[in-house]
Amino acid sequence: MTFEKILVTGAGGQIGSELVPFLSDVFGKDRVIPSDIRLSTADSRFVKLDVTDRAAVDLVVEKHKVDTVFHLAAILSASGEKNPELAYRVNISGLYNVFESALKNKVGLVMTPSSIGVFGPDTPKENVPIETITRPVTMYGITKLMAEYLGNYYHSRFGLNARGLRFPGLISYKTPPGGGTTDYSVEMIIEAVKGKNYACFLKEDSKLPMMYMPDALDSLLKLAEAEDSRLKHRTDFNITSFSVTPKQLETEIKRYYPSFEVTYHPDFRQAIADSWPGSLDASAAVQEWDFHPNFSLQATTMDMISNLRGKQISQTA
Ligand code: NAD
Ligand code: SER
């Protein structure tokens, strides 16, 4: 059984804060149990849950008769390089606890986002397929790659319905991103709307794949609902909407804010970005569960600015 009681871990983060209302709209509010280590929301359904605490995970899964988990609790790439031990504990031990609890409680589906972080400097740069050289050089990437393998292991060895996809950088305006390398894209748009200039922590030509949040939410639901018999992959689908450099995003923003200025001051996150591909081959997601993103760079930028301004806008140039 799935989607009767849906636990979302890490629900207070960039994705979770939008996935919870999205799933609530689709399946009903009473079927969604948001949880996070931080209780930073007014949502009375929220459960405080540290995924590194195995007993606590069991308790929540049992108590709420959870049949589906969207496991979002994680430490992202830049935060993970600042605290690799924490990234290992949350991203690996936390996932292990969720898988073990899911097995014990016969949970029907565990969705775990992976990331472009699984790739490394030896990976080809363009149109990268799912199966390629990975060899990540960040703790985040190493934990994400292991998470993909763990998901496949729990499926083949124990029959657990573990699924996941490699998100590119996600752009959204409702909740700030939580310490990633692609966060510059969100920050740049927000600063422009505030009428400020922006000091970018990546070089102007660092091309990375990106996606707007509505497409990311849609992808999670589509993969969660995909027919099992169509899936040749399980935990490592590449997905992407568009690829962009900081300079190209700056240019796009300037169509709305012509005097907006960006200066480029690469920091430690540049090495992380340099290790990731510029574009992905996402054809398996199309073939196996019909994924088609809707938002281009232009549509994403316009929608972001429009929502941040709180009203519809028109271009000035
Ligand atoms: P986020 O950092 O915004 O949110 C993560 C949440 O996890 C936070 O609310 C945090 O409080 C919570 N958390 C941290 N430690 C915890 C613990 N021990 N127990 C319970 N909760 C804990 O991250 P996000 O962007 O929402 O990412 C969610 C998932 O998507 C992660 O697996 C991430 O790797 C993946 N992903 C995100 C992006 C992106 O651009 N946002 C891209 C690729 C993959
Ligand atoms: N946006 C994420 C990060 O930069 C990619 O997984 O960490």
Side-chain angles (χ1 to χ4, degrees), residues 275-310:
S275 75
W276 292 350
S279 62
L280 304 176
D281 171 358
S283 52
V286 178
Q287 285 154 18
E288 296 175 42
W289 43 280
D290 309 312
F291 179 59
H292 299 283
N294 289 312
F295 285 84
S296 61
L297 169 64
Q298 291 71 24
T300 298
T301 311
M302 177 179 261
D303 203 66
M304 280 285 289
I305 292 174
S306 167
N307 279 291
L308 286 165
R309 279 188 185 176

PDB file of all heavy atoms in Angstrom, residues 275-310:
ATOM      1  N   SER A 275      33.712  20.147 -10.504  1.00  0.00           N
ATOM      2  CA  SER A 275      33.710  18.684 -10.559  1.00  0.00           C
ATOM      3  C   SER A 275      32.386  18.126 -11.106  1.00  0.00           C
ATOM      4  O   SER A 275      32.245  16.919 -11.268  1.00  0.00           O
ATOM      5  CB  SER A 275      33.991  18.111  -9.155  1.00  0.00           C
ATOM      6  OG  SER A 275      32.858  18.231  -8.307  1.00  0.00           O
ATOM      7  N   TRP A 276      31.412  18.994 -11.355  1.00  0.00           N
ATOM      8  CA  TRP A 276      30.098  18.533 -11.807  1.00  0.00           C
ATOM      9  C   TRP A 276      29.910  18.810 -13.303  1.00  0.00           C
ATOM     10  O   TRP A 276      30.517  19.743 -13.852  1.00  0.00           O
ATOM     11  CB  TRP A 276      28.984  19.248 -11.030  1.00  0.00           C
ATOM     12  CG  TRP A 276      28.925  18.872  -9.573  1.00  0.00           C
ATOM     13  CD1 TRP A 276      29.602  17.854  -8.957  1.00  0.00           C
ATOM     14  CD2 TRP A 276      28.155  19.517  -8.553  1.00  0.00           C
ATOM     15  NE1 TRP A 276      29.293  17.826  -7.625  1.00  0.00           N
ATOM     16  CE2 TRP A 276      28.406  18.834  -7.339  1.00  0.00           C
ATOM     17  CE3 TRP A 276      27.275  20.593  -8.532  1.00  0.00           C
ATOM     18  CZ2 TRP A 276      27.813  19.190  -6.131  1.00  0.00           C
ATOM     19  CZ3 TRP A 276      26.679  20.958  -7.330  1.00  0.00           C
ATOM     20  CH2 TRP A 276      26.942  20.260  -6.147  1.00  0.00           C
ATOM     21  N   PRO A 277      29.054  18.030 -13.970  1.00  0.00           N
ATOM     22  CA  PRO A 277      28.843  18.234 -15.408  1.00  0.00           C
ATOM     23  C   PRO A 277      28.045  19.498 -15.727  1.00  0.00           C
ATOM     24  O   PRO A 277      27.349  20.038 -14.863  1.00  0.00           O
ATOM     25  CB  PRO A 277      28.039  17.000 -15.836  1.00  0.00           C
ATOM     26  CG  PRO A 277      27.743  16.222 -14.631  1.00  0.00           C
ATOM     27  CD  PRO A 277      28.268  16.926 -13.426  1.00  0.00           C
ATOM     28  N   GLY A 278      28.138  19.915 -16.979  1.00  0.00           N
ATOM     29  CA  GLY A 278      27.379  21.078 -17.436  1.00  0.00           C
ATOM     30  C   GLY A 278      25.995  20.701 -17.922  1.00  0.00           C
ATOM     31  O   GLY A 278      25.080  21.518 -17.908  1.00  0.00           O
ATOM     32  N   SER A 279      25.833  19.459 -18.393  1.00  0.00           N
ATOM     33  CA  SER A 279      24.507  19.048 -18.873  1.00  0.00           C
ATOM     34  C   SER A 279      24.368  17.530 -18.745  1.00  0.00           C
ATOM     35  O   SER A 279      25.361  16.809 -18.695  1.00  0.00           O
ATOM     36  CB  SER A 279      24.292  19.481 -20.329  1.00  0.00           C
ATOM     37  OG  SER A 279      25.238  18.858 -21.171  1.00  0.00           O
ATOM     38  N   LEU A 280      23.110  17.096 -18.695  1.00  0.00           N
ATOM     39  CA  LEU A 280      22.796  15.683 -18.433  1.00  0.00           C
ATOM     40  C   LEU A 280      21.932  15.096 -19.536  1.00  0.00           C
ATOM     41  O   LEU A 280      21.106  15.796 -20.124  1.00  0.00           O
ATOM     42  CB  LEU A 280      22.014  15.567 -17.112  1.00  0.00           C
ATOM     43  CG  LEU A 280      22.641  16.150 -15.848  1.00  0.00           C
ATOM     44  CD1 LEU A 280      21.652  16.021 -14.685  1.00  0.00           C
ATOM     45  CD2 LEU A 280      23.935  15.439 -15.516  1.00  0.00           C
ATOM     46  N   ASP A 281      22.089  13.808 -19.733  1.00  0.00           N
ATOM     47  CA  ASP A 281      21.171  13.047 -20.586  1.00  0.00           C
ATOM     48  C   ASP A 281      20.069  12.488 -19.676  1.00  0.00           C
ATOM     49  O   ASP A 281      20.330  11.613 -18.846  1.00  0.00           O
ATOM     50  CB  ASP A 281      21.945  11.907 -21.256  1.00  0.00           C
ATOM     51  CG  ASP A 281      21.033  10.939 -21.996  1.00  0.00           C
ATOM     52  OD1 ASP A 281      19.798  11.128 -21.965  1.00  0.00           O
ATOM     53  OD2 ASP A 281      21.560   9.981 -22.587  1.00  0.00           O
ATOM     54  N   ALA A 282      18.873  13.037 -19.834  1.00  0.00           N
ATOM     55  CA  ALA A 282      17.765  12.636 -18.950  1.00  0.00           C
ATOM     56  C   ALA A 282      16.772  11.741 -19.690  1.00  0.00           C
ATOM     57  O   ALA A 282      15.603  11.652 -19.309  1.00  0.00           O
ATOM     58  CB  ALA A 282      17.073  13.878 -18.397  1.00  0.00           C
ATOM     59  N   SER A 283      17.228  11.051 -20.729  1.00  0.00           N
ATOM     60  CA  SER A 283      16.279  10.305 -21.567  1.00  0.00           C
ATOM     61  C   SER A 283      15.613   9.134 -20.833  1.00  0.00           C
ATOM     62  O   SER A 283      14.478   8.783 -21.149  1.00  0.00           O
ATOM     63  CB  SER A 283      16.953   9.815 -22.850  1.00  0.00           C
ATOM     64  OG  SER A 283      18.139   9.112 -22.543  1.00  0.00           O
ATOM     65  N   ALA A 284      16.290   8.539 -19.854  1.00  0.00           N
ATOM     66  CA  ALA A 284      15.668   7.399 -19.151  1.00  0.00           C
ATOM     67  C   ALA A 284      14.418   7.846 -18.391  1.00  0.00           C
ATOM     68  O   ALA A 284      13.436   7.106 -18.305  1.00  0.00           O
ATOM     69  CB  ALA A 284      16.664   6.758 -18.192  1.00  0.00           C
ATOM     70  N   ALA A 285      14.450   9.058 -17.838  1.00  0.00           N
ATOM     71  CA  ALA A 285      13.271   9.567 -17.116  1.00  0.00           C
ATOM     72  C   ALA A 285      12.102   9.780 -18.083  1.00  0.00           C
ATOM     73  O   ALA A 285      10.934   9.623 -17.710  1.00  0.00           O
ATOM     74  CB  ALA A 285      13.610  10.867 -16.393  1.00  0.00           C
ATOM     75  N   VAL A 286      12.413  10.130 -19.324  1.00  0.00           N
ATOM     76  CA  VAL A 286      11.369  10.287 -20.348  1.00  0.00           C
ATOM     77  C   VAL A 286      10.825   8.915 -20.726  1.00  0.00           C
ATOM     78  O   VAL A 286       9.607   8.687 -20.752  1.00  0.00           O
ATOM     79  CB  VAL A 286      11.943  10.996 -21.602  1.00  0.00           C
ATOM     80  CG1 VAL A 286      10.878  11.104 -22.683  1.00  0.00           C
ATOM     81  CG2 VAL A 286      12.504  12.369 -21.234  1.00  0.00           C
ATOM     82  N   GLN A 287      11.746   7.974 -20.974  1.00  0.00           N
ATOM     83  CA  GLN A 287      11.313   6.650 -21.457  1.00  0.00           C
ATOM     84  C   GLN A 287      10.594   5.846 -20.382  1.00  0.00           C
ATOM     85  O   GLN A 287       9.634   5.129 -20.670  1.00  0.00           O
ATOM     86  CB  GLN A 287      12.531   5.857 -21.940  1.00  0.00           C
ATOM     87  CG  GLN A 287      13.062   6.328 -23.278  1.00  0.00           C
ATOM     88  CD  GLN A 287      14.548   6.029 -23.452  1.00  0.00           C
ATOM     89  OE1 GLN A 287      15.113   5.202 -22.738  1.00  0.00           O
ATOM     90  NE2 GLN A 287      15.171   6.714 -24.397  1.00  0.00           N
ATOM     91  N   GLU A 288      11.046   5.950 -19.124  1.00  0.00           N
ATOM     92  CA  GLU A 288      10.544   5.036 -18.090  1.00  0.00           C
ATOM     93  C   GLU A 288       9.406   5.624 -17.256  1.00  0.00           C
ATOM     94  O   GLU A 288       8.656   4.893 -16.645  1.00  0.00           O
ATOM     95  CB  GLU A 288      11.706   4.578 -17.199  1.00  0.00           C
ATOM     96  CG  GLU A 288      12.733   3.765 -17.992  1.00  0.00           C
ATOM     97  CD  GLU A 288      13.963   3.371 -17.202  1.00  0.00           C
ATOM     98  OE1 GLU A 288      13.825   2.970 -16.038  1.00  0.00           O
ATOM     99  OE2 GLU A 288      15.078   3.488 -17.753  1.00  0.00           O
ATOM    100  N   TRP A 289       9.287   6.966 -17.214  1.00  0.00           N
ATOM    101  CA  TRP A 289       8.146   7.537 -16.459  1.00  0.00           C
ATOM    102  C   TRP A 289       7.678   8.883 -17.009  1.00  0.00           C
ATOM    103  O   TRP A 289       7.042   9.659 -16.303  1.00  0.00           O
ATOM    104  CB  TRP A 289       8.419   7.581 -14.957  1.00  0.00           C
ATOM    105  CG  TRP A 289       9.783   8.038 -14.513  1.00  0.00           C
ATOM    106  CD1 TRP A 289      10.926   7.285 -14.484  1.00  0.00           C
ATOM    107  CD2 TRP A 289      10.153   9.330 -14.017  1.00  0.00           C
ATOM    108  NE1 TRP A 289      11.988   8.038 -14.019  1.00  0.00           N
ATOM    109  CE2 TRP A 289      11.539   9.289 -13.705  1.00  0.00           C
ATOM    110  CE3 TRP A 289       9.454  10.527 -13.791  1.00  0.00           C
ATOM    111  CZ2 TRP A 289      12.236  10.388 -13.198  1.00  0.00           C
ATOM    112  CZ3 TRP A 289      10.148  11.609 -13.282  1.00  0.00           C
ATOM    113  CH2 TRP A 289      11.521  11.530 -12.997  1.00  0.00           C
ATOM    114  N   ASP A 290       7.966   9.110 -18.304  1.00  0.00           N
ATOM    115  CA  ASP A 290       7.340  10.223 -19.047  1.00  0.00           C
ATOM    116  C   ASP A 290       7.584  11.595 -18.440  1.00  0.00           C
ATOM    117  O   ASP A 290       6.677  12.436 -18.395  1.00  0.00           O
ATOM    118  CB  ASP A 290       5.806  10.011 -19.146  1.00  0.00           C
ATOM    119  CG  ASP A 290       5.451   8.633 -19.651  1.00  0.00           C
ATOM    120  OD1 ASP A 290       6.048   8.229 -20.662  1.00  0.00           O
ATOM    121  OD2 ASP A 290       4.603   7.959 -19.029  1.00  0.00           O
ATOM    122  N   PHE A 291       8.803  11.838 -17.992  1.00  0.00           N
ATOM    123  CA  PHE A 291       9.062  13.151 -17.385  1.00  0.00           C
ATOM    124  C   PHE A 291       9.392  14.208 -18.441  1.00  0.00           C
ATOM    125  O   PHE A 291      10.287  14.021 -19.256  1.00  0.00           O
ATOM    126  CB  PHE A 291      10.207  13.059 -16.370  1.00  0.00           C
ATOM    127  CG  PHE A 291      10.510  14.395 -15.743  1.00  0.00           C
ATOM    128  CD1 PHE A 291       9.524  15.073 -15.038  1.00  0.00           C
ATOM    129  CD2 PHE A 291      11.746  14.990 -15.886  1.00  0.00           C
ATOM    130  CE1 PHE A 291       9.772  16.319 -14.475  1.00  0.00           C
ATOM    131  CE2 PHE A 291      12.013  16.229 -15.322  1.00  0.00           C
ATOM    132  CZ  PHE A 291      11.017  16.899 -14.624  1.00  0.00           C
ATOM    133  N   HIS A 292       8.658  15.317 -18.391  1.00  0.00           N
ATOM    134  CA  HIS A 292       8.903  16.442 -19.304  1.00  0.00           C
ATOM    135  C   HIS A 292       8.820  17.738 -18.510  1.00  0.00           C
ATOM    136  O   HIS A 292       7.727  18.165 -18.141  1.00  0.00           O
ATOM    137  CB  HIS A 292       7.863  16.467 -20.432  1.00  0.00           C
ATOM    138  CG  HIS A 292       7.879  15.241 -21.273  1.00  0.00           C
ATOM    139  ND1 HIS A 292       8.833  15.008 -22.233  1.00  0.00           N
ATOM    140  CD2 HIS A 292       7.073  14.161 -21.268  1.00  0.00           C
ATOM    141  CE1 HIS A 292       8.609  13.833 -22.802  1.00  0.00           C
ATOM    142  NE2 HIS A 292       7.555  13.298 -22.236  1.00  0.00           N
ATOM    143  N   PRO A 293       9.953  18.378 -18.236  1.00  0.00           N
ATOM    144  CA  PRO A 293       9.894  19.636 -17.474  1.00  0.00           C
ATOM    145  C   PRO A 293       9.238  20.747 -18.288  1.00  0.00           C
ATOM    146  O   PRO A 293       9.292  20.746 -19.515  1.00  0.00           O
ATOM    147  CB  PRO A 293      11.371  19.951 -17.202  1.00  0.00           C
ATOM    148  CG  PRO A 293      12.130  19.219 -18.256  1.00  0.00           C
ATOM    149  CD  PRO A 293      11.318  18.009 -18.611  1.00  0.00           C
ATOM    150  N   ASN A 294       8.621  21.690 -17.582  1.00  0.00           N
ATOM    151  CA  ASN A 294       7.901  22.771 -18.260  1.00  0.00           C
ATOM    152  C   ASN A 294       8.643  24.093 -18.279  1.00  0.00           C
ATOM    153  O   ASN A 294       8.361  24.945 -19.110  1.00  0.00           O
ATOM    154  CB  ASN A 294       6.551  22.990 -17.565  1.00  0.00           C
ATOM    155  CG  ASN A 294       5.605  21.852 -17.844  1.00  0.00           C
ATOM    156  OD1 ASN A 294       5.452  21.444 -18.983  1.00  0.00           O
ATOM    157  ND2 ASN A 294       5.005  21.307 -16.790  1.00  0.00           N
ATOM    158  N   PHE A 295       9.561  24.305 -17.326  1.00  0.00           N
ATOM    159  CA  PHE A 295      10.142  25.638 -17.155  1.00  0.00           C
ATOM    160  C   PHE A 295      11.543  25.748 -17.764  1.00  0.00           C
ATOM    161  O   PHE A 295      12.475  25.068 -17.342  1.00  0.00           O
ATOM    162  CB  PHE A 295      10.206  26.012 -15.665  1.00  0.00           C
ATOM    163  CG  PHE A 295       8.863  26.379 -15.096  1.00  0.00           C
ATOM    164  CD1 PHE A 295       7.994  25.389 -14.648  1.00  0.00           C
ATOM    165  CD2 PHE A 295       8.456  27.711 -15.033  1.00  0.00           C
ATOM    166  CE1 PHE A 295       6.748  25.721 -14.131  1.00  0.00           C
ATOM    167  CE2 PHE A 295       7.215  28.048 -14.524  1.00  0.00           C
ATOM    168  CZ  PHE A 295       6.360  27.048 -14.062  1.00  0.00           C
ATOM    169  N   SER A 296      11.680  26.635 -18.739  1.00  0.00           N
ATOM    170  CA  SER A 296      12.982  26.993 -19.318  1.00  0.00           C
ATOM    171  C   SER A 296      13.668  28.003 -18.384  1.00  0.00           C
ATOM    172  O   SER A 296      13.064  28.466 -17.403  1.00  0.00           O
ATOM    173  CB  SER A 296      12.765  27.652 -20.683  1.00  0.00           C
ATOM    174  OG  SER A 296      11.996  28.838 -20.476  1.00  0.00           O
ATOM    175  N   LEU A 297      14.884  28.388 -18.724  1.00  0.00           N
ATOM    176  CA  LEU A 297      15.568  29.455 -17.969  1.00  0.00           C
ATOM    177  C   LEU A 297      14.724  30.731 -17.986  1.00  0.00           C
ATOM    178  O   LEU A 297      14.538  31.388 -16.949  1.00  0.00           O
ATOM    179  CB  LEU A 297      16.951  29.731 -18.576  1.00  0.00           C
ATOM    180  CG  LEU A 297      17.651  30.998 -18.060  1.00  0.00           C
ATOM    181  CD1 LEU A 297      17.957  30.890 -16.577  1.00  0.00           C
ATOM    182  CD2 LEU A 297      18.927  31.270 -18.861  1.00  0.00           C
ATOM    183  N   GLN A 298      14.201  31.070 -19.157  1.00  0.00           N
ATOM    184  CA  GLN A 298      13.429  32.308 -19.294  1.00  0.00           C
ATOM    185  C   GLN A 298      12.159  32.247 -18.439  1.00  0.00           C
ATOM    186  O   GLN A 298      11.834  33.183 -17.700  1.00  0.00           O
ATOM    187  CB  GLN A 298      13.048  32.542 -20.777  1.00  0.00           C
ATOM    188  CG  GLN A 298      14.219  32.880 -21.687  1.00  0.00           C
ATOM    189  CD  GLN A 298      15.164  31.692 -21.945  1.00  0.00           C
ATOM    190  OE1 GLN A 298      14.773  30.540 -21.840  1.00  0.00           O
ATOM    191  NE2 GLN A 298      16.416  31.992 -22.275  1.00  0.00           N
ATOM    192  N   ALA A 299      11.445  31.119 -18.520  1.00  0.00           N
ATOM    193  CA  ALA A 299      10.196  30.981 -17.750  1.00  0.00           C
ATOM    194  C   ALA A 299      10.482  30.944 -16.253  1.00  0.00           C
ATOM    195  O   ALA A 299       9.729  31.510 -15.445  1.00  0.00           O
ATOM    196  CB  ALA A 299       9.465  29.712 -18.182  1.00  0.00           C
ATOM    197  N   THR A 300      11.570  30.295 -15.878  1.00  0.00           N
ATOM    198  CA  THR A 300      11.939  30.213 -14.459  1.00  0.00           C
ATOM    199  C   THR A 300      12.242  31.604 -13.916  1.00  0.00           C
ATOM    200  O   THR A 300      11.741  32.007 -12.856  1.00  0.00           O
ATOM    201  CB  THR A 300      13.184  29.306 -14.278  1.00  0.00           C
ATOM    202  OG1 THR A 300      12.854  27.996 -14.721  1.00  0.00           O
ATOM    203  CG2 THR A 300      13.641  29.257 -12.829  1.00  0.00           C
ATOM    204  N   THR A 301      13.059  32.352 -14.652  1.00  0.00           N
ATOM    205  CA  THR A 301      13.456  33.677 -14.184  1.00  0.00           C
ATOM    206  C   THR A 301      12.234  34.582 -14.058  1.00  0.00           C
ATOM    207  O   THR A 301      12.061  35.288 -13.048  1.00  0.00           O
ATOM    208  CB  THR A 301      14.484  34.306 -15.154  1.00  0.00           C
ATOM    209  OG1 THR A 301      15.503  33.352 -15.407  1.00  0.00           O
ATOM    210  CG2 THR A 301      15.103  35.566 -14.576  1.00  0.00           C
ATOM    211  N   MET A 302      11.382  34.544 -15.052  1.00  0.00           N
ATOM    212  CA  MET A 302      10.197  35.404 -15.015  1.00  0.00           C
ATOM    213  C   MET A 302       9.285  35.023 -13.849  1.00  0.00           C
ATOM    214  O   MET A 302       8.807  35.885 -13.099  1.00  0.00           O
ATOM    215  CB  MET A 302       9.416  35.316 -16.326  1.00  0.00           C
ATOM    216  CG  MET A 302       8.137  36.148 -16.281  1.00  0.00           C
ATOM    217  SD  MET A 302       7.214  36.081 -17.807  1.00  0.00           S
ATOM    218  CE  MET A 302       7.725  37.598 -18.560  1.00  0.00           C
ATOM    219  N   ASP A 303       9.074  33.733 -13.653  1.00  0.00           N
ATOM    220  CA  ASP A 303       8.181  33.297 -12.574  1.00  0.00           C
ATOM    221  C   ASP A 303       8.785  33.607 -11.202  1.00  0.00           C
ATOM    222  O   ASP A 303       8.074  34.027 -10.289  1.00  0.00           O
ATOM    223  CB  ASP A 303       7.904  31.790 -12.700  1.00  0.00           C
ATOM    224  CG  ASP A 303       6.610  31.408 -11.997  1.00  0.00           C
ATOM    225  OD1 ASP A 303       5.544  31.847 -12.462  1.00  0.00           O
ATOM    226  OD2 ASP A 303       6.671  30.709 -10.966  1.00  0.00           O
ATOM    227  N   MET A 304      10.089  33.393 -11.076  1.00  0.00           N
ATOM    228  CA  MET A 304      10.758  33.726  -9.807  1.00  0.00           C
ATOM    229  C   MET A 304      10.583  35.200  -9.481  1.00  0.00           C
ATOM    230  O   MET A 304      10.174  35.578  -8.382  1.00  0.00           O
ATOM    231  CB  MET A 304      12.267  33.428  -9.910  1.00  0.00           C
ATOM    232  CG  MET A 304      12.663  31.996  -9.736  1.00  0.00           C
ATOM    233  SD  MET A 304      12.592  31.432  -8.027  1.00  0.00           S
ATOM    234  CE  MET A 304      13.968  32.263  -7.266  1.00  0.00           C
ATOM    235  N   ILE A 305      10.901  36.048 -10.461  1.00  0.00           N
ATOM    236  CA  ILE A 305      10.843  37.497 -10.224  1.00  0.00           C
ATOM    237  C   ILE A 305       9.407  37.915  -9.935  1.00  0.00           C
ATOM    238  O   ILE A 305       9.133  38.682  -9.007  1.00  0.00           O
ATOM    239  CB  ILE A 305      11.439  38.265 -11.432  1.00  0.00           C
ATOM    240  CG1 ILE A 305      12.950  37.995 -11.518  1.00  0.00           C
ATOM    241  CG2 ILE A 305      11.163  39.762 -11.315  1.00  0.00           C
ATOM    242  CD1 ILE A 305      13.636  38.569 -12.741  1.00  0.00           C
ATOM    243  N   SER A 306       8.506  37.352 -10.701  1.00  0.00           N
ATOM    244  CA  SER A 306       7.101  37.691 -10.529  1.00  0.00           C
ATOM    245  C   SER A 306       6.626  37.342  -9.116  1.00  0.00           C
ATOM    246  O   SER A 306       5.972  38.147  -8.437  1.00  0.00           O
ATOM    247  CB  SER A 306       6.298  36.925 -11.583  1.00  0.00           C
ATOM    248  OG  SER A 306       4.949  36.978 -11.297  1.00  0.00           O
ATOM    249  N   ASN A 307       6.966  36.143  -8.659  1.00  0.00           N
ATOM    250  CA  ASN A 307       6.532  35.728  -7.320  1.00  0.00           C
ATOM    251  C   ASN A 307       7.247  36.500  -6.227  1.00  0.00           C
ATOM    252  O   ASN A 307       6.659  36.824  -5.195  1.00  0.00           O
ATOM    253  CB  ASN A 307       6.734  34.223  -7.150  1.00  0.00           C
ATOM    254  CG  ASN A 307       5.589  33.445  -7.773  1.00  0.00           C
ATOM    255  OD1 ASN A 307       4.477  33.484  -7.287  1.00  0.00           O
ATOM    256  ND2 ASN A 307       5.862  32.788  -8.890  1.00  0.00           N
ATOM    257  N   LEU A 308       8.541  36.779  -6.437  1.00  0.00           N
ATOM    258  CA  LEU A 308       9.271  37.542  -5.424  1.00  0.00           C
ATOM    259  C   LEU A 308       8.730  38.962  -5.331  1.00  0.00           C
ATOM    260  O   LEU A 308       8.671  39.552  -4.255  1.00  0.00           O
ATOM    261  CB  LEU A 308      10.772  37.544  -5.740  1.00  0.00           C
ATOM    262  CG  LEU A 308      11.485  36.212  -5.447  1.00  0.00           C
ATOM    263  CD1 LEU A 308      12.859  36.174  -6.112  1.00  0.00           C
ATOM    264  CD2 LEU A 308      11.641  35.996  -3.939  1.00  0.00           C
ATOM    265  N   ARG A 309       8.323  39.496  -6.423  1.00  0.00           N
ATOM    266  CA  ARG A 309       7.721  40.837  -6.392  1.00  0.00           C
ATOM    267  C   ARG A 309       6.289  40.801  -5.895  1.00  0.00           C
ATOM    268  O   ARG A 309       5.701  41.824  -5.563  1.00  0.00           O
ATOM    269  CB  ARG A 309       7.685  41.426  -7.801  1.00  0.00           C
ATOM    270  CG  ARG A 309       8.977  42.023  -8.263  1.00  0.00           C
ATOM    271  CD  ARG A 309       8.643  42.711  -9.570  1.00  0.00           C
ATOM    272  NE  ARG A 309       9.790  43.265 -10.239  1.00  0.00           N
ATOM    273  CZ  ARG A 309       9.718  43.843 -11.424  1.00  0.00           C
ATOM    274  NH1 ARG A 309       8.561  43.911 -12.062  1.00  0.00           N
ATOM    275  NH2 ARG A 309      10.777  44.346 -11.989  1.00  0.00           N
ATOM    276  N   GLY A 310       5.716  39.606  -5.935  1.00  0.00           N
ATOM    277  CA  GLY A 310       4.339  39.456  -5.458  1.00  0.00           C
ATOM    278  C   GLY A 310       3.311  39.921  -6.462  1.00  0.00           C
ATOM    279  O   GLY A 310       2.145  40.072  -6.148  1.00  0.00           O
TER     280      GLY A 310
END
